[in-house]
């Protein structure tokens, strides 16, 4: 194993993946949401940074090439599991999340089966767009949970007539309730939209990998 900076960043990203899920057992809201958001955004940034540094410094290694996709998949899969739980298994989150997890498991199985021929399943530009959409969607939905928490805490116990007056503008909004609600709604639609885009790209790229592997799935693989 080569312990250079790109590989160290990859290992940190791998360790951050389970921490993102377990943090909700150790911390209460909203601290848990803040830590999860920081872990995920930080891991997403290292995903770009470790690859860039490895190429720029000519520090690419077999260890990094093996660990990088594992860290990426672990972070994404655990993050969408957390989102599904936080949203009460909302179908708008659960369905695209299920498609994403299914594809990741399926493609990982293909790579393992193909062995040395797995080089045929190189990451495409569309797959990189898929990864970007996933990371943006998850980050925005984690932010949305924070907005929802602060909105809920401020309106907890508030008289319904007062809340209605604040939302329709007839009562002064000294607590910023309106913008927190609007931010919650906006983050939901943008985040869910990006998650569905990521799911669609996931299916397209998964089918692309599967079609490329078909010749090697026959009883007599090409020589």
């Amino acid at each position: 194993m080569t312990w250079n900076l790109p590989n160290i960043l990859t290992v940190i990203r791998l360790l951050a993946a389970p921490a993102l899920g377990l943090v909700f057992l150790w911390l209460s809201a909203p601290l848990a949401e803040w830590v999860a958001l920081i872990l995920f955004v930080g891991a997403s940034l290292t995903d770009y940074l470790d690859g860039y540094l490895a190429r720029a410094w000519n520090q690419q290694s077999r260890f990094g090439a093996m660990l990088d996709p594992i860290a990426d998949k672990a972070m994404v899969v655990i993050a969408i599991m957390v989102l599904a739980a936080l949203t009460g298994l909302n179908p708008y989150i659960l369905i695209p999340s299920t498609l994403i997890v299914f594809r990741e498991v399926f493609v990982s199985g293909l790579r393992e089966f193909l062995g040395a021929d797995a080089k045929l399943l190189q990451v495409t530009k569309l797959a990189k767009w898929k990864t970007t959409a996933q990371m943006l969607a998850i980050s925005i939905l984690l932010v949305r949970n924070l907005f929802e928490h602060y909105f809920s805490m401020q309106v907890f116990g508030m008289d319904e007539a007062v809340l209605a007056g604040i939302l329709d503008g007839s009562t002064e909004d000294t607590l910023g309730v309106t913008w927190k609600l609007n931010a919650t709604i906006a983050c939901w639609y943008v985040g869910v939209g990006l998650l569905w885009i990521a799911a669609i790209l996931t299916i397209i790229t998964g089918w692309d990998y599967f079609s490329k592997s078909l010749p090697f799935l026959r009883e007599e693989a090409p020589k």
Side-chain angles (χ1 to χ4, degrees), residues 15-84:
L15 295 177
L20 189 150
L22 296 176
V23 71
F24 289 91
L25 298 178
W26 301 329
L27 303 173
S28 56
L31 183 57
E33 280 88 347
W34 273 113
V35 174
L37 177 63
I38 292 170
L39 284 173
F40 186 80
V41 172
S44 300
L45 293 176
T46 64
D47 182 32
Y48 166 78
L49 186 60
D50 60 10
Y52 172 79
L53 292 178
R55 291 186 297 270
W57 295 350
N58 195 26
Q59 293 184 344
Q60 294 168 306
S61 65
R62 291 175 61 85
F63 176 64
M66 176 275 295
L67 201 61
D68 186 71
I70 295 175
D72 293 345
K73 289 175 173 57
M75 178 58 71
V76 169
V77 169
I78 292 175
I80 60 179
M81 287 173 55
V82 168
L83 282 176

Side-chain angles (χ1 to χ4, degrees), residues 69-200:
I70 295 175
D72 293 345
K73 289 175 173 57
M75 178 58 71
V76 169
V77 169
I78 292 175
I80 60 179
M81 287 173 55
V82 168
L83 282 176
L86 291 176
T87 56
L89 300 181
N90 187 297
Y92 290 106
I93 299 292
L94 186 59
I95 293 173
S97 297
T98 301
L99 294 175
I100 291 171
V101 173
F102 174 79
R103 182 266 191 192
E104 299 297 354
V105 173
F106 185 79
V107 171
S108 295
L110 275 180
R111 291 183 186 278
E112 181 178 355
F113 174 79
L114 292 174
D117 296 315
K119 60 181 179 292
L120 294 171
L121 306 184
Q122 293 294 321
V123 176
T124 63
K125 186 171 294 186
L126 194 61
K128 291 181 179 179
W129 279 107
K130 176 265 300 180
T131 301
T132 301
Q134 285 178 350
M135 291 180 174
L136 285 174
I138 293 169
S139 298
I140 292 171
L141 288 171
L142 287 173
V143 171
R144 176 257 176 195
N145 287 333
L146 279 169
F147 282 130
E148 183 182 45
H149 172 80
Y150 288 116
F151 170 79
S152 299
M153 290 302 296
Q154 287 185 335
V155 302
F156 181 76
M158 185 180 291
D159 184 80
E160 292 185 7
V162 173
L163 177 58
I166 291 174
L167 296 180
D168 65 23
S170 59
T171 301
E172 184 181 3
D173 185 5
T174 58
L175 299 175
V177 169
T178 303
W179 75 261
K180 291 183 180 69
L181 176 60
N182 291 337
T184 301
I185 296 171
C187 286
W188 171 260
Y189 283 110
V190 174
V192 170
L194 284 171
L195 191 64
W196 276 92
I197 290 173
I200 293 170

Side-chain angles (χ1 to χ4, degrees), residues 192-216:
V192 170
L194 284 171
L195 191 64
W196 276 92
I197 290 173
I200 293 170
L201 293 177
T202 289
I203 297 303
I204 294 173
T205 56
W207 177 257
D208 178 57
Y209 291 153
F210 177 65
S211 61
K212 289 177 180 177
S213 67
L214 278 177
F216 296 89

